Amino acid sequence: MVIIFTTNGEKYACRIVGMPKDTLSIENRLVKFKNKKSRHKIISTFTNEGYEMKELNEILPNGFKYKILRCKTPPFQNDEAFKNIPIPENSYYLLGDNRDNAPDSRIFGTIQRDQLQGRVLSVYFGKNLTIINKSL
């Protein structure tokens, strides 16, 4: 589920990947939940503003699928910082779908329930014509 949340007076949109009382890890830039690794399937490769990118279908251990973008050379390379992350009660762990270039819980930490503003149902205008009126 993609949600809107506020932190430090700014609004952001991210996907909920960790629920209250969960423990998760991020290994090789994929979510690991209850000792089960996510899987991924490459959809396409392309260059965006000089960066080599991959579009992937990430498949969580519970079978939920969504698309993410990954850079060939990511800014978050220290997986040790993202192992066995406990999610407190009334908190959520959020990741951006542009996984390697998104302000999310890797920067802000967990997000409290009262910081959630709503659920994103669709994107009407995107950066290019391929993502206009796209259902989430």
Side-chain angles (χ1 to χ4, degrees):
M1 172 184 328
V2 178
I3 55 91
I4 302 291
F5 70 98
T6 57
T7 188
N8 302 324
E10 299 288 326
K11 289 187 180 184
Y12 299 91
C14 285
R15 186 172 302 280
I16 295 176
V17 297
M19 301 292 282
K21 299 182 182 180
D22 284 347
T23 299
L24 61 87
S25 295
I26 300 171
E27 294 180 10
N28 297 319
R29 298 187 289 157
L30 293 170
V31 176
K32 185 177 178 183
F33 180 71
K34 293 185 179 178
N35 292 321
K36 295 180 183 175
K37 292 182 181 179
S38 297
R39 296 177 289 127
H40 71 277
K41 181 179 178 181
I42 297 173
I43 299 169
S44 66
T45 31
F46 59 94
T47 301
N48 183 21
E49 297 180 12
Y51 294 97
E52 291 182 51
M53 306 288 289
K54 290 182 181 178
E55 182 179 25
L56 308 169
N57 263 338
E58 184 171 45
I59 305 156
L60 295 179
N62 65 3
F64 189 75
K65 296 185 241 183
Y66 50 88
K67 292 180 183 177
I68 63 171
L69 297 177
R70 287 196 348 192
C71 296
K72 182 177 180 179
T73 307
F76 295 106
Q77 294 195 29
N78 181 5
D79 278 348
E80 290 302 315
F82 305 111
K83 291 198 179 203
N84 298 316
I85 304 163
I87 315 301
E89 194 166 328
N90 294 316
S91 297
Y92 300 87
Y93 199 85
L94 311 173
L95 291 176
D97 286 352
N98 185 347
R99 187 62 52 86
D100 296 326
N101 192 26
D104 54 31
S105 288
R106 293 170 294 178
I107 295 168
F108 303 127
T110 56
I111 301 300
Q112 299 293 310
R113 174 178 230 124
D114 62 0
Q115 291 175 271
L116 303 182
Q117 301 293 305
R119 182 176 174 192
V120 177
L121 300 176
S122 67
V123 174
Y124 191 75
F125 289 107
K127 286 187 175 182
N128 61 50
L129 296 176
T130 63
I131 56 174
I132 289 179
N133 200 21
K134 182 177 178 181
S135 176
L136 297 176

